[in-house]
DNA sequence: AAGGAAATCAACCGCTGCCCA
DNA sequence: GTGGGCAGCGGTTGATTTCCT
């Protein structure tokens, strides 16, 4: 079976090792970008898009291949719940993973209402421990069910985080990027009700409020986090530059 | 062993947004 | 202001692999 691909001439334009070498050498010499001219200058009979995709998804340094870890899978699930099919943003939270890979992984491993099939899962032991048990919940290794969506609760002073999952995502972001809340803006109100004070200080939208969100490492990621945070919670900049809170219902089904 | 069904994933396609002249 | 070129993104396709009967 292994040799099928070798024996039969592929109809699709799969990349050959020599093409990979040419492209890799070209990019290492000239740098990324100008994909439209790569094919002409390198001699590759490929379109710019194809070259860009091949480089981005397979040849780029630090690309991580192989099965997703439990942590990565968890993160994908949570990020997808929060962001939807924004694969590039989700992949941005997974070092070494590409949007294409994340998308494929979601479609083949995670986006199944009724998991079944003849094949063994790639990580059968992991899938055994993490399964989507119903539409809005996840069972983790410890067999604890985490609810993924609850009706949002809005108060006048603070915005409620409708799901503990949303807090997990943002807390993980904080941990991973070395960001720090000067004062924890989160307030747990009950089992599933968590309050978040949306007065946030960030590199792109400084405000001087009681709860400050400071991202001091990796400016780009911090920028993205700020963006995500503001986008996710419907924050917009007010006239005075202060963050204003929009309707959270708009992002929560 | 053979054939069919299902799963996987690399690659392509089309659309959108940004940049620059 | 606008039109062309390019990069990036998400959706889709289809070849290949794997499993079951």
């Amino acid at each position: 079976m292994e040799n099928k691909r070798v024996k039969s001439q592929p109809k699709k334009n799969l990349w050959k090792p020599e093409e990979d070498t040419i492209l890799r050498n070209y990019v290492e010499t000239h740098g990324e970008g100008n994909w439209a001219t790569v094919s002409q200058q390198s001699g590759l009979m490929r379109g710019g898009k194809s070259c860009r995709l091949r480089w981005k998804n397979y040849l780029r340094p630090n690309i991580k291949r192989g099965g997703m870890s439990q942590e990565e899978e968890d993160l994908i699930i949570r990020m997808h719940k929060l962001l939807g099919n924004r694969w590039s943003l989700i992949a941005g939270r997974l070092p070494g993973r590409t949007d294409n890979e994340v998308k494929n992984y979601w479609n083949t491993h995670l986006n199944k209402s009724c998991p079944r099939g003849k094949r063994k899962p790639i990580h059968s032991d992991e899938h055994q421990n993490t399964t989507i048990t119903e539409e809005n919940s996840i069972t983790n290794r410890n067999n604890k069910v985490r609810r993924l969506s609850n009706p949002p609760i809005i108060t006048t002073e603070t915005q409620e985080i409708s799901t503990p999952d949303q807090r997990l995502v943002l807390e993980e972001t904080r941990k991973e990027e070395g960001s720090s809340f000067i004062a924890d803006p989160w307030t747990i109100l009950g089992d599933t009700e968590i309050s978040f004070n949306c007065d946030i200080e960030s590199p792109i939208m400084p405000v001087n409020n009681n709860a400050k969100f400071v991202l001091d490492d990796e400016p780009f990621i911090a920028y993205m986090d700020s963006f995500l945070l503001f986008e996710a919670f419907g924050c917009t900049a007010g006239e005075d530059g202060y963050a204003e809170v929009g309707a959270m219902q708009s992002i929560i089904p």
Side-chain angles (χ1 to χ4, degrees), chain A residues 12-38:
Chain A
K12 265 196 173 183
N13 281 332
L14 293 179
W15 280 74
K16 301 182 185 73
E18 52 266 33
E19 289 180 301
D20 285 344
T21 304
I22 293 171
L23 181 59
R24 189 182 291 111
N25 289 340
Y26 182 89
V27 174
E28 282 171 359
T29 305
H30 298 88
E32 292 183 50
N34 298 318
W35 297 110
T37 63
V38 167

mmCIF file of all heavy atoms in Angstrom, chain A residues 12-38:
data_model
loop_
_atom_site.group_PDB
_atom_site.id
_atom_site.type_symbol
_atom_site.label_atom_id
_atom_site.label_comp_id
_atom_site.label_asym_id
_atom_site.label_seq_id
_atom_site.Cartn_x
_atom_site.Cartn_y
_atom_site.Cartn_z
ATOM 1 N N LYS A 12 -2.719 14.823 -9.410
ATOM 2 C CA LYS A 12 -2.518 16.131 -8.803
ATOM 3 C C LYS A 12 -1.045 16.459 -8.799
ATOM 4 O O LYS A 12 -0.194 15.578 -8.793
ATOM 5 C CB LYS A 12 -3.052 16.127 -7.370
ATOM 6 C CG LYS A 12 -4.456 16.634 -7.275
ATOM 7 C CD LYS A 12 -4.765 16.960 -5.843
ATOM 8 C CE LYS A 12 -6.113 17.642 -5.739
ATOM 9 N NZ LYS A 12 -6.435 18.036 -4.380
ATOM 10 N N ASN A 13 -0.783 17.736 -8.729
ATOM 11 C CA ASN A 13 0.611 18.174 -8.746
ATOM 12 C C ASN A 13 1.227 18.098 -7.359
ATOM 13 O O ASN A 13 1.461 19.114 -6.723
ATOM 14 C CB ASN A 13 0.702 19.601 -9.284
ATOM 15 C CG ASN A 13 0.597 19.606 -10.789
ATOM 16 O OD1 ASN A 13 0.966 18.640 -11.461
ATOM 17 N ND2 ASN A 13 0.077 20.690 -11.334
ATOM 18 N N LEU A 14 1.497 16.920 -6.929
ATOM 19 C CA LEU A 14 2.183 16.778 -5.654
ATOM 20 C C LEU A 14 3.614 17.252 -5.809
ATOM 21 O O LEU A 14 4.237 17.066 -6.856
ATOM 22 C CB LEU A 14 2.168 15.321 -5.193
ATOM 23 C CG LEU A 14 0.803 14.754 -4.823
ATOM 24 C CD1 LEU A 14 0.934 13.304 -4.412
ATOM 25 C CD2 LEU A 14 0.172 15.556 -3.720
ATOM 26 N N TRP A 15 4.137 17.840 -4.754
ATOM 27 C CA TRP A 15 5.489 18.377 -4.797
ATOM 28 C C TRP A 15 6.509 17.246 -4.710
ATOM 29 O O TRP A 15 6.413 16.371 -3.856
ATOM 30 C CB TRP A 15 5.691 19.366 -3.669
ATOM 31 C CG TRP A 15 5.126 20.701 -3.987
ATOM 32 C CD1 TRP A 15 3.808 21.040 -4.015
ATOM 33 C CD2 TRP A 15 5.861 21.874 -4.343
ATOM 34 N NE1 TRP A 15 3.656 22.358 -4.359
ATOM 35 C CE2 TRP A 15 4.907 22.900 -4.563
ATOM 36 C CE3 TRP A 15 7.205 22.172 -4.496
ATOM 37 C CZ2 TRP A 15 5.265 24.184 -4.928
ATOM 38 C CZ3 TRP A 15 7.569 23.453 -4.848
ATOM 39 C CH2 TRP A 15 6.611 24.448 -5.070
ATOM 40 N N LYS A 16 7.483 17.315 -5.579
ATOM 41 C CA LYS A 16 8.560 16.330 -5.563
ATOM 42 C C LYS A 16 9.692 16.850 -4.678
ATOM 43 O O LYS A 16 9.834 18.060 -4.488
ATOM 44 C CB LYS A 16 9.083 16.092 -6.984
ATOM 45 C CG LYS A 16 8.027 15.586 -7.960
ATOM 46 C CD LYS A 16 8.650 15.331 -9.307
ATOM 47 C CE LYS A 16 7.607 14.930 -10.345
ATOM 48 N NZ LYS A 16 6.757 16.049 -10.768
ATOM 49 N N PRO A 17 10.481 15.938 -4.146
ATOM 50 C CA PRO A 17 11.588 16.365 -3.269
ATOM 51 C C PRO A 17 12.515 17.373 -3.939
ATOM 52 O O PRO A 17 12.986 18.312 -3.290
ATOM 53 C CB PRO A 17 12.318 15.044 -2.994
ATOM 54 C CG PRO A 17 11.288 13.993 -3.148
ATOM 55 C CD PRO A 17 10.347 14.478 -4.226
ATOM 56 N N GLU A 18 12.747 17.194 -5.227
ATOM 57 C CA GLU A 18 13.654 18.133 -5.901
ATOM 58 C C GLU A 18 13.025 19.524 -6.013
ATOM 59 O O GLU A 18 13.722 20.536 -5.937
ATOM 60 C CB GLU A 18 14.051 17.615 -7.284
ATOM 61 C CG GLU A 18 12.902 17.217 -8.185
ATOM 62 C CD GLU A 18 12.588 15.736 -8.093
ATOM 63 O OE1 GLU A 18 12.764 15.154 -6.996
ATOM 64 O OE2 GLU A 18 12.167 15.150 -9.117
ATOM 65 N N GLU A 19 11.707 19.550 -6.151
ATOM 66 C CA GLU A 19 11.032 20.846 -6.179
ATOM 67 C C GLU A 19 11.125 21.519 -4.812
ATOM 68 O O GLU A 19 11.331 22.735 -4.712
ATOM 69 C CB GLU A 19 9.570 20.666 -6.586
ATOM 70 C CG GLU A 19 9.358 20.287 -8.027
ATOM 71 C CD GLU A 19 7.883 20.126 -8.355
ATOM 72 O OE1 GLU A 19 7.233 19.283 -7.718
ATOM 73 O OE2 GLU A 19 7.383 20.844 -9.233
ATOM 74 N N ASP A 20 10.950 20.710 -3.785
ATOM 75 C CA ASP A 20 11.090 21.244 -2.426
ATOM 76 C C ASP A 20 12.478 21.848 -2.222
ATOM 77 O O ASP A 20 12.626 22.923 -1.634
ATOM 78 C CB ASP A 20 10.865 20.134 -1.392
ATOM 79 C CG ASP A 20 9.396 19.766 -1.246
ATOM 80 O OD1 ASP A 20 8.546 20.561 -1.705
ATOM 81 O OD2 ASP A 20 9.111 18.708 -0.687
ATOM 82 N N THR A 21 13.466 21.138 -2.716
ATOM 83 C CA THR A 21 14.843 21.611 -2.553
ATOM 84 C C THR A 21 15.041 22.948 -3.260
ATOM 85 O O THR A 21 15.634 23.876 -2.711
ATOM 86 C CB THR A 21 15.827 20.577 -3.126
ATOM 87 O OG1 THR A 21 15.588 19.320 -2.476
ATOM 88 C CG2 THR A 21 17.260 20.997 -2.887
ATOM 89 N N ILE A 22 14.522 23.033 -4.469
ATOM 90 C CA ILE A 22 14.650 24.278 -5.229
ATOM 91 C C ILE A 22 13.988 25.428 -4.489
ATOM 92 O O ILE A 22 14.563 26.504 -4.321
ATOM 93 C CB ILE A 22 14.035 24.118 -6.637
ATOM 94 C CG1 ILE A 22 14.858 23.134 -7.470
ATOM 95 C CG2 ILE A 22 13.929 25.460 -7.338
ATOM 96 C CD1 ILE A 22 14.212 22.755 -8.797
ATOM 97 N N LEU A 23 12.770 25.172 -4.033
ATOM 98 C CA LEU A 23 12.033 26.234 -3.343
ATOM 99 C C LEU A 23 12.724 26.624 -2.040
ATOM 100 O O LEU A 23 12.863 27.812 -1.724
ATOM 101 C CB LEU A 23 10.592 25.785 -3.070
ATOM 102 C CG LEU A 23 9.695 26.811 -2.361
ATOM 103 C CD1 LEU A 23 9.590 28.095 -3.168
ATOM 104 C CD2 LEU A 23 8.311 26.230 -2.116
ATOM 105 N N ARG A 24 13.181 25.620 -1.311
ATOM 106 C CA ARG A 24 13.841 25.903 -0.033
ATOM 107 C C ARG A 24 15.095 26.736 -0.257
ATOM 108 O O ARG A 24 15.329 27.734 0.431
ATOM 109 C CB ARG A 24 14.192 24.597 0.679
ATOM 110 C CG ARG A 24 14.672 24.806 2.103
ATOM 111 C CD ARG A 24 15.067 23.512 2.782
ATOM 112 N NE ARG A 24 13.945 22.642 3.068
ATOM 113 C CZ ARG A 24 13.710 21.482 2.467
ATOM 114 N NH1 ARG A 24 14.527 21.040 1.524
ATOM 115 N NH2 ARG A 24 12.671 20.759 2.799
ATOM 116 N N ASN A 25 15.867 26.332 -1.232
ATOM 117 C CA ASN A 25 17.088 27.080 -1.535
ATOM 118 C C ASN A 25 16.775 28.516 -1.957
ATOM 119 O O ASN A 25 17.452 29.458 -1.555
ATOM 120 C CB ASN A 25 17.879 26.372 -2.640
ATOM 121 C CG ASN A 25 18.500 25.081 -2.148
ATOM 122 O OD1 ASN A 25 18.669 24.884 -0.939
ATOM 123 N ND2 ASN A 25 18.817 24.181 -3.061
ATOM 124 N N TYR A 26 15.729 28.636 -2.742
ATOM 125 C CA TYR A 26 15.371 29.969 -3.226
ATOM 126 C C TYR A 26 14.969 30.886 -2.067
ATOM 127 O O TYR A 26 15.432 32.021 -1.958
ATOM 128 C CB TYR A 26 14.226 29.883 -4.241
ATOM 129 C CG TYR A 26 13.851 31.239 -4.804
ATOM 130 C CD1 TYR A 26 14.498 31.735 -5.940
ATOM 131 C CD2 TYR A 26 12.888 32.031 -4.183
ATOM 132 C CE1 TYR A 26 14.179 32.982 -6.443
ATOM 133 C CE2 TYR A 26 12.566 33.277 -4.680
ATOM 134 C CZ TYR A 26 13.211 33.755 -5.816
ATOM 135 O OH TYR A 26 12.899 34.991 -6.308
ATOM 136 N N VAL A 27 14.113 30.357 -1.203
ATOM 137 C CA VAL A 27 13.630 31.193 -0.096
ATOM 138 C C VAL A 27 14.765 31.512 0.870
ATOM 139 O O VAL A 27 14.864 32.623 1.394
ATOM 140 C CB VAL A 27 12.461 30.497 0.629
ATOM 141 C CG1 VAL A 27 12.048 31.282 1.858
ATOM 142 C CG2 VAL A 27 11.275 30.344 -0.300
ATOM 143 N N GLU A 28 15.639 30.529 1.092
ATOM 144 C CA GLU A 28 16.759 30.784 2.006
ATOM 145 C C GLU A 28 17.689 31.845 1.439
ATOM 146 O O GLU A 28 18.318 32.601 2.173
ATOM 147 C CB GLU A 28 17.512 29.472 2.270
ATOM 148 C CG GLU A 28 16.774 28.583 3.275
ATOM 149 C CD GLU A 28 17.408 27.197 3.373
ATOM 150 O OE1 GLU A 28 18.394 26.937 2.651
ATOM 151 O OE2 GLU A 28 16.896 26.378 4.169
ATOM 152 N N THR A 29 17.766 31.896 0.130
ATOM 153 C CA THR A 29 18.645 32.883 -0.507
ATOM 154 C C THR A 29 17.980 34.255 -0.606
ATOM 155 O O THR A 29 18.572 35.278 -0.275
ATOM 156 C CB THR A 29 19.022 32.418 -1.921
ATOM 157 O OG1 THR A 29 19.586 31.107 -1.831
ATOM 158 C CG2 THR A 29 20.027 33.369 -2.547
ATOM 159 N N HIS A 30 16.717 34.266 -1.042
ATOM 160 C CA HIS A 30 16.056 35.523 -1.351
ATOM 161 C C HIS A 30 15.049 35.974 -0.296
ATOM 162 O O HIS A 30 14.540 37.088 -0.360
ATOM 163 C CB HIS A 30 15.353 35.426 -2.701
ATOM 164 C CG HIS A 30 16.275 35.179 -3.857
ATOM 165 N ND1 HIS A 30 16.631 33.894 -4.252
ATOM 166 C CD2 HIS A 30 16.953 36.022 -4.675
ATOM 167 C CE1 HIS A 30 17.463 33.975 -5.282
ATOM 168 N NE2 HIS A 30 17.686 35.251 -5.561
ATOM 169 N N GLY A 31 14.735 35.067 0.620
ATOM 170 C CA GLY A 31 13.750 35.417 1.623
ATOM 171 C C GLY A 31 12.340 35.171 1.133
ATOM 172 O O GLY A 31 12.111 34.910 -0.046
ATOM 173 N N GLU A 32 11.397 35.244 2.095
ATOM 174 C CA GLU A 32 9.992 35.026 1.746
ATOM 175 C C GLU A 32 9.435 36.251 1.032
ATOM 176 O O GLU A 32 9.985 37.332 1.109
ATOM 177 C CB GLU A 32 9.172 34.755 3.008
ATOM 178 C CG GLU A 32 9.506 33.437 3.679
ATOM 179 C CD GLU A 32 8.620 33.183 4.886
ATOM 180 O OE1 GLU A 32 7.397 33.309 4.765
ATOM 181 O OE2 GLU A 32 9.160 32.856 5.958
ATOM 182 N N GLY A 33 8.331 36.038 0.370
ATOM 183 C CA GLY A 33 7.678 37.128 -0.331
ATOM 184 C C GLY A 33 7.895 37.063 -1.817
ATOM 185 O O GLY A 33 8.664 36.240 -2.319
ATOM 186 N N ASN A 34 7.239 37.922 -2.534
ATOM 187 C CA ASN A 34 7.323 37.965 -4.000
ATOM 188 C C ASN A 34 7.064 36.595 -4.611
ATOM 189 O O ASN A 34 7.790 36.145 -5.493
ATOM 190 C CB ASN A 34 8.691 38.481 -4.447
ATOM 191 C CG ASN A 34 8.926 39.889 -3.964
ATOM 192 O OD1 ASN A 34 8.029 40.736 -4.006
ATOM 193 N ND2 ASN A 34 10.105 40.135 -3.459
ATOM 194 N N TRP A 35 6.043 35.959 -4.131
ATOM 195 C CA TRP A 35 5.775 34.596 -4.575
ATOM 196 C C TRP A 35 5.481 34.544 -6.062
ATOM 197 O O TRP A 35 5.716 33.521 -6.716
ATOM 198 C CB TRP A 35 4.623 33.995 -3.771
ATOM 199 C CG TRP A 35 4.937 33.873 -2.324
ATOM 200 C CD1 TRP A 35 4.392 34.591 -1.309
ATOM 201 C CD2 TRP A 35 5.886 32.992 -1.722
ATOM 202 N NE1 TRP A 35 4.933 34.208 -0.106
ATOM 203 C CE2 TRP A 35 5.853 33.220 -0.325
ATOM 204 C CE3 TRP A 35 6.762 32.025 -2.206
ATOM 205 C CZ2 TRP A 35 6.662 32.524 0.574
ATOM 206 C CZ3 TRP A 35 7.566 31.325 -1.321
ATOM 207 C CH2 TRP A 35 7.508 31.577 0.051
ATOM 208 N N ALA A 36 4.945 35.612 -6.577
ATOM 209 C CA ALA A 36 4.585 35.615 -7.998
ATOM 210 C C ALA A 36 5.814 35.448 -8.884
ATOM 211 O O ALA A 36 5.726 34.923 -9.990
ATOM 212 C CB ALA A 36 3.852 36.907 -8.332
ATOM 213 N N THR A 37 6.957 35.889 -8.401
ATOM 214 C CA THR A 37 8.164 35.824 -9.226
ATOM 215 C C THR A 37 9.028 34.615 -8.893
ATOM 216 O O THR A 37 10.000 34.342 -9.592
ATOM 217 C CB THR A 37 9.015 37.088 -9.025
ATOM 218 O OG1 THR A 37 9.437 37.147 -7.661
ATOM 219 C CG2 THR A 37 8.215 38.334 -9.365
ATOM 220 N N VAL A 38 8.657 33.897 -7.851
ATOM 221 C CA VAL A 38 9.471 32.752 -7.431
ATOM 222 C C VAL A 38 9.567 31.723 -8.542
ATOM 223 O O VAL A 38 10.650 31.220 -8.869
ATOM 224 C CB VAL A 38 8.873 32.100 -6.151
ATOM 225 C CG1 VAL A 38 9.493 30.756 -5.900
ATOM 226 C CG2 VAL A 38 9.097 33.008 -4.960
#
